[in-house]
Amino acid sequence: MTPDAQHSDGPAQPLRSDAERNRERIVAAARTVFARDGLSASMASVAREAGVGIATMFRRFPTKEELVDAVFSDRMGAYADAVTVALDDPDPWNGFVGYIETACAMQAADSGFADVLTMSFPTAKVLEQRRNEAYQAMLRLIDRAKDTGRLREDFDPSDLVLIHMANAGVVNVTGDAAPDAWRRVVALFVQSLEAPARGPLPASPGHEPLYKAMVRAGQGTAAPPPGKSS
């Protein structure tokens, strides 16, 4: 190695270490802020929690979607695991109910994740891959529950999105004032889903319209980098 190479390589490693430490601090801070305030929290509030400047924040995470991906990919993985556990239940109806209760409990425990399940972030590749894996497994879960005759026949996969949207609304509004209100809402959902149905449901909005709504909701949380207008 030449003296020049030694000189150029020497200071680079501390810079990389500093950058990684800043990244870890930002992700940890974002977990705290998003869990408390949901995805409506600003990037500036995350930067303050992390103790870094806003410019440092945007160097590490140029877009809010990238930060959401870093913060919630593992939780989306746990969400997908909940579907796998439900599929392993020998009683498909119990598995289906258990999945709904687990997913809604995850929303109740973290306001940020409550929002994530009602939004889509197309550029958050890991997050969306895990969401798609969970969705494909949910289709099998729904079919199995219907085959038992316990789940009403007109239940549509898009209804799970509506349940998550409704539960997120309850979680975000009640907060610490009524932290267990979501449990009653989930029980109402579950009891309304069991066959025999008392009457037909209105037409489902369908997957594509709800997906567009989720993308639009995700875009609504985005914030421009410093110096750019929204």
Side-chain angles (χ1 to χ4, degrees), residues 3-72:
D4 285 344
Q6 290 176 340
H7 178 73
S8 62
D9 288 346
Q13 183 59 40
L15 288 175
R16 287 196 293 269
S17 296
D18 286 347
E20 181 58 28
R21 282 196 295 272
N22 281 338
R23 186 184 188 281
E24 291 173 356
R25 288 168 65 187
I26 292 168
V27 170
R31 288 187 192 277
T32 298
V33 172
F34 290 154
R36 182 185 66 224
D37 303 331
L39 294 190
S40 62
S42 68
M43 296 285 271
S45 66
V46 175
R48 285 193 298 271
E49 181 77 20
V52 302
I54 193 67
T56 298
M57 161 73 75
F58 279 103
R59 278 198 299 273
R60 301 283 75 80
F61 297 98
T63 68
K64 198 170 188 180
E65 286 195 354
E66 291 177 64
L67 181 57
V68 168
D69 201 15
V71 171
F72 291 108

Short mmCIF file of all heavy atoms in Angstrom, two decimals, residues 3-72:
data_model
loop_
_atom_site.label_atom_id
_atom_site.label_comp_id
_atom_site.label_asym_id
_atom_site.label_seq_id
_atom_site.Cartn_x
_atom_site.Cartn_y
_atom_site.Cartn_z
N PRO A 3 2.00 5.30 0.48
CA PRO A 3 1.69 6.28 1.52
C PRO A 3 0.43 7.06 1.22
O PRO A 3 -0.33 7.38 2.11
CB PRO A 3 2.95 7.18 1.53
CG PRO A 3 4.06 6.30 1.03
CD PRO A 3 3.42 5.40 0.02
N ASP A 4 0.23 7.39 -0.08
CA ASP A 4 -0.99 8.13 -0.44
C ASP A 4 -2.23 7.33 -0.12
O ASP A 4 -3.24 7.85 0.36
CB ASP A 4 -0.97 8.48 -1.93
CG ASP A 4 -0.01 9.62 -2.23
OD1 ASP A 4 0.39 10.32 -1.27
OD2 ASP A 4 0.33 9.79 -3.41
N ALA A 5 -2.18 6.02 -0.42
CA ALA A 5 -3.34 5.17 -0.15
C ALA A 5 -3.61 5.10 1.34
O ALA A 5 -4.75 5.14 1.80
CB ALA A 5 -3.12 3.76 -0.72
N GLN A 6 -2.49 5.00 2.13
CA GLN A 6 -2.69 4.96 3.58
C GLN A 6 -3.33 6.26 4.08
O GLN A 6 -4.19 6.25 4.93
CB GLN A 6 -1.33 4.75 4.26
CG GLN A 6 -0.76 3.36 4.05
CD GLN A 6 0.62 3.24 4.65
OE1 GLN A 6 1.30 4.24 4.91
NE2 GLN A 6 1.07 2.01 4.89
N HIS A 7 -2.87 7.38 3.49
CA HIS A 7 -3.40 8.67 3.92
C HIS A 7 -4.89 8.81 3.56
O HIS A 7 -5.69 9.28 4.35
CB HIS A 7 -2.59 9.78 3.25
CG HIS A 7 -3.09 11.16 3.59
ND1 HIS A 7 -2.89 11.72 4.82
CD2 HIS A 7 -3.82 12.05 2.87
CE1 HIS A 7 -3.45 12.92 4.85
NE2 HIS A 7 -4.03 13.13 3.67
N SER A 8 -5.26 8.31 2.36
CA SER A 8 -6.65 8.47 1.92
C SER A 8 -7.57 7.49 2.62
O SER A 8 -8.74 7.78 2.87
CB SER A 8 -6.76 8.29 0.39
OG SER A 8 -6.34 6.98 0.03
N ASP A 9 -7.03 6.28 2.94
CA ASP A 9 -7.89 5.28 3.57
C ASP A 9 -8.08 5.56 5.06
O ASP A 9 -9.09 5.19 5.64
CB ASP A 9 -7.30 3.88 3.40
CG ASP A 9 -7.42 3.37 1.97
OD1 ASP A 9 -8.19 3.99 1.20
OD2 ASP A 9 -6.75 2.40 1.64
N GLY A 10 -7.08 6.21 5.69
CA GLY A 10 -7.12 6.39 7.13
C GLY A 10 -8.35 7.08 7.66
O GLY A 10 -9.07 6.51 8.46
N PRO A 11 -8.67 8.31 7.19
CA PRO A 11 -9.80 9.03 7.77
C PRO A 11 -11.16 8.55 7.30
O PRO A 11 -12.17 8.95 7.85
CB PRO A 11 -9.56 10.48 7.34
CG PRO A 11 -8.75 10.37 6.09
CD PRO A 11 -7.92 9.14 6.24
N ALA A 12 -11.21 7.67 6.26
CA ALA A 12 -12.51 7.29 5.68
C ALA A 12 -13.33 6.44 6.63
O ALA A 12 -14.53 6.59 6.74
CB ALA A 12 -12.30 6.57 4.36
N GLN A 13 -12.66 5.51 7.35
CA GLN A 13 -13.40 4.59 8.21
C GLN A 13 -14.16 5.30 9.32
O GLN A 13 -15.33 5.01 9.54
CB GLN A 13 -12.46 3.53 8.79
CG GLN A 13 -13.15 2.48 9.65
CD GLN A 13 -14.21 1.73 8.88
OE1 GLN A 13 -14.02 1.41 7.70
NE2 GLN A 13 -15.35 1.47 9.49
N PRO A 14 -13.55 6.28 10.03
CA PRO A 14 -14.34 7.00 11.05
C PRO A 14 -15.55 7.70 10.48
O PRO A 14 -16.59 7.75 11.11
CB PRO A 14 -13.31 8.00 11.61
CG PRO A 14 -11.99 7.36 11.39
CD PRO A 14 -12.14 6.63 10.08
N LEU A 15 -15.41 8.24 9.25
CA LEU A 15 -16.56 8.88 8.63
C LEU A 15 -17.67 7.88 8.40
O LEU A 15 -18.85 8.15 8.63
CB LEU A 15 -16.15 9.55 7.32
CG LEU A 15 -15.29 10.82 7.46
CD1 LEU A 15 -14.84 11.31 6.10
CD2 LEU A 15 -16.09 11.91 8.17
N ARG A 16 -17.31 6.69 7.91
CA ARG A 16 -18.33 5.66 7.69
C ARG A 16 -18.97 5.24 9.01
O ARG A 16 -20.16 5.02 9.09
CB ARG A 16 -17.72 4.46 6.97
CG ARG A 16 -17.40 4.72 5.49
CD ARG A 16 -17.17 3.42 4.75
NE ARG A 16 -15.95 2.76 5.22
CZ ARG A 16 -14.75 2.96 4.69
NH1 ARG A 16 -14.59 3.82 3.70
NH2 ARG A 16 -13.70 2.31 5.15
N SER A 17 -18.15 5.13 10.06
CA SER A 17 -18.69 4.76 11.37
C SER A 17 -19.64 5.83 11.89
O SER A 17 -20.70 5.52 12.44
CB SER A 17 -17.55 4.54 12.36
OG SER A 17 -16.74 3.46 11.96
N ASP A 18 -19.24 7.09 11.72
CA ASP A 18 -20.11 8.18 12.16
C ASP A 18 -21.43 8.15 11.41
O ASP A 18 -22.50 8.35 12.00
CB ASP A 18 -19.43 9.53 11.94
CG ASP A 18 -18.31 9.78 12.95
OD1 ASP A 18 -18.25 9.02 13.95
OD2 ASP A 18 -17.52 10.71 12.73
N ALA A 19 -21.36 7.91 10.11
CA ALA A 19 -22.58 7.87 9.30
C ALA A 19 -23.49 6.74 9.76
O ALA A 19 -24.71 6.91 9.85
CB ALA A 19 -22.22 7.71 7.83
N GLU A 20 -22.89 5.59 10.08
CA GLU A 20 -23.70 4.46 10.52
C GLU A 20 -24.32 4.73 11.89
O GLU A 20 -25.47 4.39 12.13
CB GLU A 20 -22.85 3.19 10.56
CG GLU A 20 -23.61 1.93 10.98
CD GLU A 20 -24.79 1.60 10.08
OE1 GLU A 20 -24.75 1.97 8.89
OE2 GLU A 20 -25.76 0.99 10.57
N ARG A 21 -23.54 5.35 12.77
CA ARG A 21 -24.10 5.70 14.08
C ARG A 21 -25.26 6.68 13.93
O ARG A 21 -26.27 6.56 14.63
CB ARG A 21 -23.01 6.29 14.99
CG ARG A 21 -22.08 5.25 15.60
CD ARG A 21 -21.30 5.84 16.75
NE ARG A 21 -20.40 6.89 16.30
CZ ARG A 21 -19.15 6.67 15.89
NH1 ARG A 21 -18.68 5.44 15.84
NH2 ARG A 21 -18.40 7.69 15.52
N ASN A 22 -25.09 7.67 13.06
CA ASN A 22 -26.19 8.62 12.82
C ASN A 22 -27.42 7.91 12.28
O ASN A 22 -28.55 8.21 12.68
CB ASN A 22 -25.75 9.71 11.84
CG ASN A 22 -24.91 10.78 12.50
OD1 ASN A 22 -24.97 10.96 13.72
ND2 ASN A 22 -24.12 11.48 11.71
N ARG A 23 -27.19 6.97 11.38
CA ARG A 23 -28.32 6.23 10.81
C ARG A 23 -29.06 5.46 11.90
O ARG A 23 -30.29 5.48 11.97
CB ARG A 23 -27.84 5.27 9.72
CG ARG A 23 -28.96 4.57 8.98
CD ARG A 23 -28.43 3.55 7.98
NE ARG A 23 -29.50 3.03 7.15
CZ ARG A 23 -30.37 2.10 7.52
NH1 ARG A 23 -30.30 1.59 8.75
NH2 ARG A 23 -31.32 1.69 6.69
N GLU A 24 -28.31 4.78 12.76
CA GLU A 24 -28.93 4.00 13.83
C GLU A 24 -29.69 4.91 14.79
O GLU A 24 -30.78 4.55 15.26
CB GLU A 24 -27.85 3.20 14.57
CG GLU A 24 -27.24 2.07 13.72
CD GLU A 24 -26.07 1.40 14.41
OE1 GLU A 24 -25.69 1.86 15.51
OE2 GLU A 24 -25.52 0.44 13.84
N ARG A 25 -29.12 6.07 15.09
CA ARG A 25 -29.80 7.01 15.99
C ARG A 25 -31.10 7.51 15.36
O ARG A 25 -32.12 7.65 16.05
CB ARG A 25 -28.88 8.20 16.29
CG ARG A 25 -27.73 7.87 17.21
CD ARG A 25 -26.70 8.98 17.24
NE ARG A 25 -27.22 10.20 17.81
CZ ARG A 25 -26.54 11.35 17.82
NH1 ARG A 25 -25.36 11.42 17.24
NH2 ARG A 25 -27.07 12.42 18.38
N ILE A 26 -31.06 7.77 14.07
CA ILE A 26 -32.26 8.26 13.38
C ILE A 26 -33.34 7.20 13.37
O ILE A 26 -34.52 7.48 13.64
CB ILE A 26 -31.90 8.73 11.96
CG1 ILE A 26 -31.04 9.99 12.02
CG2 ILE A 26 -33.17 8.99 11.14
CD1 ILE A 26 -30.40 10.36 10.69
N VAL A 27 -32.97 5.96 13.05
CA VAL A 27 -33.97 4.88 13.01
C VAL A 27 -34.57 4.66 14.39
O VAL A 27 -35.80 4.51 14.53
CB VAL A 27 -33.33 3.58 12.47
CG1 VAL A 27 -34.29 2.40 12.64
CG2 VAL A 27 -32.96 3.74 10.99
N ALA A 28 -33.73 4.65 15.43
CA ALA A 28 -34.24 4.47 16.80
C ALA A 28 -35.17 5.61 17.19
O ALA A 28 -36.23 5.40 17.80
CB ALA A 28 -33.07 4.37 17.78
N ALA A 29 -34.78 6.83 16.83
CA ALA A 29 -35.62 7.98 17.14
C ALA A 29 -36.94 7.91 16.38
O ALA A 29 -38.00 8.23 16.92
CB ALA A 29 -34.88 9.28 16.78
N ALA A 30 -36.88 7.49 15.13
CA ALA A 30 -38.10 7.39 14.32
C ALA A 30 -39.05 6.35 14.90
O ALA A 30 -40.27 6.55 14.89
CB ALA A 30 -37.76 7.06 12.87
N ARG A 31 -38.52 5.26 15.42
CA ARG A 31 -39.37 4.26 16.06
C ARG A 31 -40.15 4.90 17.21
O ARG A 31 -41.35 4.67 17.37
CB ARG A 31 -38.53 3.10 16.60
CG ARG A 31 -37.95 2.17 15.56
CD ARG A 31 -37.29 0.98 16.24
NE ARG A 31 -36.49 0.21 15.31
CZ ARG A 31 -36.96 -0.71 14.50
NH1 ARG A 31 -38.25 -0.97 14.52
NH2 ARG A 31 -36.17 -1.37 13.69
N THR A 32 -39.45 5.68 18.02
CA THR A 32 -40.08 6.33 19.17
C THR A 32 -41.12 7.34 18.73
O THR A 32 -42.26 7.35 19.22
CB THR A 32 -39.01 7.02 20.03
OG1 THR A 32 -38.10 6.04 20.53
CG2 THR A 32 -39.65 7.76 21.20
N VAL A 33 -40.75 8.20 17.79
CA VAL A 33 -41.65 9.27 17.36
C VAL A 33 -42.86 8.72 16.61
O VAL A 33 -44.00 9.13 16.87
CB VAL A 33 -40.88 10.29 16.49
CG1 VAL A 33 -41.83 11.31 15.87
CG2 VAL A 33 -39.82 11.00 17.32
N PHE A 34 -42.64 7.80 15.70
CA PHE A 34 -43.76 7.25 14.93
C PHE A 34 -44.70 6.43 15.82
O PHE A 34 -45.91 6.46 15.64
CB PHE A 34 -43.25 6.38 13.78
CG PHE A 34 -42.58 7.14 12.67
CD1 PHE A 34 -41.64 6.52 11.86
CD2 PHE A 34 -42.89 8.46 12.42
CE1 PHE A 34 -41.02 7.21 10.83
CE2 PHE A 34 -42.28 9.16 11.39
CZ PHE A 34 -41.34 8.54 10.59
N ALA A 35 -44.13 5.69 16.78
CA ALA A 35 -44.98 4.91 17.69
C ALA A 35 -45.87 5.83 18.51
O ALA A 35 -47.02 5.50 18.81
CB ALA A 35 -44.12 4.04 18.61
N ARG A 36 -45.35 6.99 18.88
CA ARG A 36 -46.09 7.93 19.71
C ARG A 36 -47.06 8.79 18.91
O ARG A 36 -48.21 8.98 19.30
CB ARG A 36 -45.09 8.83 20.44
CG ARG A 36 -45.72 9.85 21.40
CD ARG A 36 -44.65 10.76 21.95
NE ARG A 36 -44.06 11.60 20.92
CZ ARG A 36 -42.74 11.82 20.81
NH1 ARG A 36 -41.88 11.28 21.64
NH2 ARG A 36 -42.29 12.61 19.84
N ASP A 37 -46.59 9.29 17.75
CA ASP A 37 -47.34 10.30 17.00
C ASP A 37 -47.89 9.82 15.67
O ASP A 37 -48.62 10.56 15.00
CB ASP A 37 -46.45 11.52 16.76
CG ASP A 37 -45.92 12.13 18.05
OD1 ASP A 37 -46.62 12.01 19.08
OD2 ASP A 37 -44.81 12.70 18.03
N GLY A 38 -47.55 8.58 15.26
CA GLY A 38 -47.99 8.11 13.95
C GLY A 38 -47.13 8.67 12.84
O GLY A 38 -46.18 9.44 13.07
N LEU A 39 -47.46 8.31 11.61
CA LEU A 39 -46.63 8.71 10.47
C LEU A 39 -46.85 10.16 10.06
O LEU A 39 -46.16 10.65 9.17
CB LEU A 39 -46.90 7.79 9.27
CG LEU A 39 -46.47 6.34 9.45
CD1 LEU A 39 -46.56 5.60 8.12
CD2 LEU A 39 -45.07 6.22 10.01
N SER A 40 -47.78 10.83 10.69
CA SER A 40 -47.94 12.26 10.43
C SER A 40 -46.81 13.07 11.06
O SER A 40 -46.64 14.26 10.75
CB SER A 40 -49.29 12.76 10.94
OG SER A 40 -49.38 12.60 12.36
N ALA A 41 -46.04 12.45 11.95
CA ALA A 41 -44.92 13.15 12.58
C ALA A 41 -43.94 13.63 11.51
O ALA A 41 -43.70 12.94 10.51
CB ALA A 41 -44.20 12.23 13.56
N SER A 42 -43.37 14.78 11.73
CA SER A 42 -42.47 15.38 10.73
C SER A 42 -41.08 14.78 10.82
O SER A 42 -40.66 14.26 11.85
CB SER A 42 -42.39 16.89 10.94
OG SER A 42 -41.73 17.19 12.16
N MET A 43 -40.35 14.90 9.71
CA MET A 43 -38.95 14.49 9.71
C MET A 43 -38.15 15.35 10.69
O MET A 43 -37.20 14.88 11.31
CB MET A 43 -38.38 14.60 8.29
CG MET A 43 -39.02 13.66 7.28
SD MET A 43 -38.48 11.96 7.45
CE MET A 43 -37.02 11.96 6.39
N ALA A 44 -38.53 16.62 10.83
CA ALA A 44 -37.84 17.51 11.76
C ALA A 44 -37.97 17.00 13.19
O ALA A 44 -37.02 17.07 13.98
CB ALA A 44 -38.38 18.92 11.65
N SER A 45 -39.15 16.48 13.56
CA SER A 45 -39.34 15.96 14.92
C SER A 45 -38.49 14.72 15.15
O SER A 45 -37.99 14.49 16.25
CB SER A 45 -40.82 15.67 15.18
OG SER A 45 -41.29 14.61 14.35
N VAL A 46 -38.31 13.90 14.10
CA VAL A 46 -37.43 12.73 14.22
C VAL A 46 -35.99 13.19 14.40
O VAL A 46 -35.24 12.65 15.23
CB VAL A 46 -37.56 11.82 12.99
CG1 VAL A 46 -36.54 10.68 13.05
CG2 VAL A 46 -38.97 11.25 12.88
N ALA A 47 -35.57 14.19 13.63
CA ALA A 47 -34.21 14.71 13.74
C ALA A 47 -33.95 15.25 15.14
O ALA A 47 -32.89 15.01 15.73
CB ALA A 47 -33.99 15.81 12.69
N ARG A 48 -34.93 15.97 15.70
CA ARG A 48 -34.76 16.48 17.06
C ARG A 48 -34.62 15.35 18.06
O ARG A 48 -33.79 15.39 18.97
CB ARG A 48 -35.95 17.38 17.44
CG ARG A 48 -35.91 18.75 16.79
CD ARG A 48 -36.92 19.68 17.44
NE ARG A 48 -38.30 19.21 17.31
CZ ARG A 48 -39.08 19.51 16.28
NH1 ARG A 48 -38.62 20.27 15.28
NH2 ARG A 48 -40.32 19.06 16.23
N GLU A 49 -35.46 14.33 17.93
CA GLU A 49 -35.39 13.17 18.84
C GLU A 49 -34.04 12.47 18.73
O GLU A 49 -33.49 11.99 19.75
CB GLU A 49 -36.52 12.19 18.50
CG GLU A 49 -36.58 10.95 19.37
CD GLU A 49 -37.17 11.22 20.75
OE1 GLU A 49 -37.88 12.24 20.93
OE2 GLU A 49 -36.92 10.41 21.65
N ALA A 50 -33.50 12.43 17.52
CA ALA A 50 -32.21 11.75 17.29
C ALA A 50 -31.03 12.62 17.67
O ALA A 50 -29.90 12.12 17.80
CB ALA A 50 -32.10 11.35 15.82
N GLY A 51 -31.25 13.93 17.82
CA GLY A 51 -30.16 14.83 18.15
C GLY A 51 -29.25 15.10 16.97
O GLY A 51 -28.04 15.30 17.14
N VAL A 52 -29.82 15.10 15.75
CA VAL A 52 -29.05 15.39 14.55
C VAL A 52 -29.70 16.56 13.81
O VAL A 52 -30.88 16.86 14.03
CB VAL A 52 -28.94 14.17 13.61
CG1 VAL A 52 -28.31 12.99 14.33
CG2 VAL A 52 -30.32 13.77 13.06
N GLY A 53 -28.95 17.18 12.95
CA GLY A 53 -29.49 18.26 12.14
C GLY A 53 -30.39 17.71 11.03
O GLY A 53 -30.27 16.55 10.62
N ILE A 54 -31.27 18.56 10.53
CA ILE A 54 -32.19 18.12 9.48
C ILE A 54 -31.43 17.76 8.22
O ILE A 54 -31.84 16.86 7.47
CB ILE A 54 -33.26 19.21 9.21
CG1 ILE A 54 -34.39 18.64 8.35
CG2 ILE A 54 -32.64 20.44 8.58
CD1 ILE A 54 -35.22 17.57 9.03
N ALA A 55 -30.31 18.42 7.96
CA ALA A 55 -29.51 18.09 6.77
C ALA A 55 -28.94 16.68 6.89
O ALA A 55 -28.91 15.91 5.92
CB ALA A 55 -28.40 19.11 6.58
N THR A 56 -28.46 16.34 8.10
CA THR A 56 -27.97 14.98 8.33
C THR A 56 -29.09 13.96 8.13
O THR A 56 -28.88 12.89 7.54
CB THR A 56 -27.40 14.86 9.76
OG1 THR A 56 -26.30 15.75 9.89
CG2 THR A 56 -26.95 13.43 10.06
N MET A 57 -30.26 14.30 8.63
CA MET A 57 -31.42 13.42 8.45
C MET A 57 -31.65 13.11 6.98
O MET A 57 -31.79 11.94 6.58
CB MET A 57 -32.66 14.10 9.05
CG MET A 57 -33.99 13.57 8.55
SD MET A 57 -34.40 11.95 9.21
CE MET A 57 -34.86 12.42 10.86
N PHE A 58 -31.67 14.13 6.14
CA PHE A 58 -31.98 13.91 4.73
C PHE A 58 -30.80 13.31 3.96
O PHE A 58 -31.02 12.72 2.91
CB PHE A 58 -32.47 15.20 4.08
CG PHE A 58 -33.92 15.48 4.36
CD1 PHE A 58 -34.30 16.43 5.30
CD2 PHE A 58 -34.92 14.77 3.71
CE1 PHE A 58 -35.65 16.67 5.57
CE2 PHE A 58 -36.25 15.00 3.97
CZ PHE A 58 -36.63 15.95 4.90
N ARG A 59 -29.59 13.43 4.48
CA ARG A 59 -28.47 12.71 3.84
C ARG A 59 -28.63 11.21 4.06
O ARG A 59 -28.36 10.41 3.17
CB ARG A 59 -27.13 13.18 4.41
CG ARG A 59 -26.61 14.46 3.78
CD ARG A 59 -25.12 14.64 4.05
NE ARG A 59 -24.81 14.72 5.47
CZ ARG A 59 -24.83 15.84 6.17
NH1 ARG A 59 -25.15 16.99 5.58
NH2 ARG A 59 -24.52 15.84 7.46
N ARG A 60 -29.05 10.84 5.26
CA ARG A 60 -29.21 9.41 5.55
C ARG A 60 -30.49 8.85 4.91
O ARG A 60 -30.52 7.72 4.42
CB ARG A 60 -29.26 9.18 7.07
CG ARG A 60 -28.04 9.63 7.86
CD ARG A 60 -26.86 8.67 7.73
NE ARG A 60 -26.16 8.74 6.47
CZ ARG A 60 -25.25 9.66 6.17
NH1 ARG A 60 -24.93 10.60 7.05
NH2 ARG A 60 -24.65 9.65 5.00
N PHE A 61 -31.57 9.65 4.94
CA PHE A 61 -32.87 9.21 4.42
C PHE A 61 -33.46 10.34 3.58
O PHE A 61 -34.17 11.20 4.09
CB PHE A 61 -33.82 8.85 5.57
CG PHE A 61 -33.34 7.69 6.41
CD1 PHE A 61 -32.67 7.90 7.60
CD2 PHE A 61 -33.53 6.39 5.96
CE1 PHE A 61 -32.21 6.84 8.35
CE2 PHE A 61 -33.07 5.32 6.72
CZ PHE A 61 -32.42 5.54 7.90
N PRO A 62 -33.15 10.35 2.28
CA PRO A 62 -33.61 11.44 1.41
C PRO A 62 -35.13 11.57 1.32
O PRO A 62 -35.64 12.64 1.03
CB PRO A 62 -33.01 11.07 0.04
CG PRO A 62 -31.81 10.22 0.37
CD PRO A 62 -32.22 9.45 1.59
N THR A 63 -35.85 10.47 1.57
CA THR A 63 -37.31 10.53 1.54
C THR A 63 -37.87 9.88 2.80
O THR A 63 -37.22 9.03 3.42
CB THR A 63 -37.90 9.81 0.32
OG1 THR A 63 -37.67 8.39 0.45
CG2 THR A 63 -37.28 10.31 -0.98
N LYS A 64 -39.07 10.26 3.15
CA LYS A 64 -39.72 9.66 4.31
C LYS A 64 -40.02 8.19 4.07
O LYS A 64 -39.98 7.38 5.00
CB LYS A 64 -41.01 10.42 4.63
CG LYS A 64 -41.54 10.16 6.04
CD LYS A 64 -42.67 11.11 6.38
CE LYS A 64 -43.08 10.99 7.84
NZ LYS A 64 -44.18 11.93 8.17
N GLU A 65 -40.30 7.81 2.82
CA GLU A 65 -40.56 6.41 2.52
C GLU A 65 -39.36 5.54 2.88
O GLU A 65 -39.52 4.43 3.38
CB GLU A 65 -40.91 6.24 1.04
CG GLU A 65 -42.30 6.73 0.67
CD GLU A 65 -42.75 6.23 -0.68
OE1 GLU A 65 -41.94 5.60 -1.39
OE2 GLU A 65 -43.92 6.47 -1.05
N GLU A 66 -38.14 6.04 2.63
CA GLU A 66 -36.95 5.27 2.97
C GLU A 66 -36.83 5.09 4.48
O GLU A 66 -36.41 4.03 4.96
CB GLU A 66 -35.71 5.95 2.41
CG GLU A 66 -35.63 5.92 0.88
CD GLU A 66 -34.43 6.66 0.36
OE1 GLU A 66 -33.29 6.23 0.65
OE2 GLU A 66 -34.61 7.66 -0.36
N LEU A 67 -37.19 6.12 5.22
CA LEU A 67 -37.16 6.01 6.68
C LEU A 67 -38.22 5.03 7.17
O LEU A 67 -37.95 4.19 8.04
CB LEU A 67 -37.37 7.38 7.31
CG LEU A 67 -37.33 7.45 8.84
CD1 LEU A 67 -36.02 6.92 9.39
CD2 LEU A 67 -37.57 8.88 9.32
N VAL A 68 -39.41 5.11 6.61
CA VAL A 68 -40.48 4.17 6.97
C VAL A 68 -40.05 2.74 6.68
O VAL A 68 -40.29 1.82 7.48
CB VAL A 68 -41.77 4.53 6.22
CG1 VAL A 68 -42.81 3.42 6.34
CG2 VAL A 68 -42.36 5.84 6.74
N ASP A 69 -39.39 2.53 5.55
CA ASP A 69 -38.91 1.20 5.18
C ASP A 69 -37.94 0.68 6.23
O ASP A 69 -38.04 -0.47 6.68
CB ASP A 69 -38.22 1.27 3.82
CG ASP A 69 -38.14 -0.09 3.13
OD1 ASP A 69 -38.84 -1.03 3.54
OD2 ASP A 69 -37.36 -0.21 2.16
N ALA A 70 -37.00 1.54 6.65
CA ALA A 70 -36.00 1.12 7.63
C ALA A 70 -36.62 0.83 8.99
O ALA A 70 -36.20 -0.10 9.69
CB ALA A 70 -34.93 2.21 7.77
N VAL A 71 -37.62 1.60 9.36
CA VAL A 71 -38.23 1.47 10.70
C VAL A 71 -39.18 0.28 10.78
O VAL A 71 -39.19 -0.45 11.79
CB VAL A 71 -38.96 2.76 11.08
CG1 VAL A 71 -39.78 2.57 12.36
CG2 VAL A 71 -37.97 3.91 11.26
N PHE A 72 -39.96 0.06 9.73
CA PHE A 72 -41.08 -0.87 9.86
C PHE A 72 -40.95 -2.18 9.08
O PHE A 72 -41.85 -3.02 9.16
CB PHE A 72 -42.38 -0.18 9.44
CG PHE A 72 -42.82 0.89 10.40
CD1 PHE A 72 -42.72 2.22 10.07
CD2 PHE A 72 -43.31 0.55 11.66
CE1 PHE A 72 -43.12 3.21 10.95
CE2 PHE A 72 -43.70 1.53 12.55
CZ PHE A 72 -43.61 2.86 12.20
#
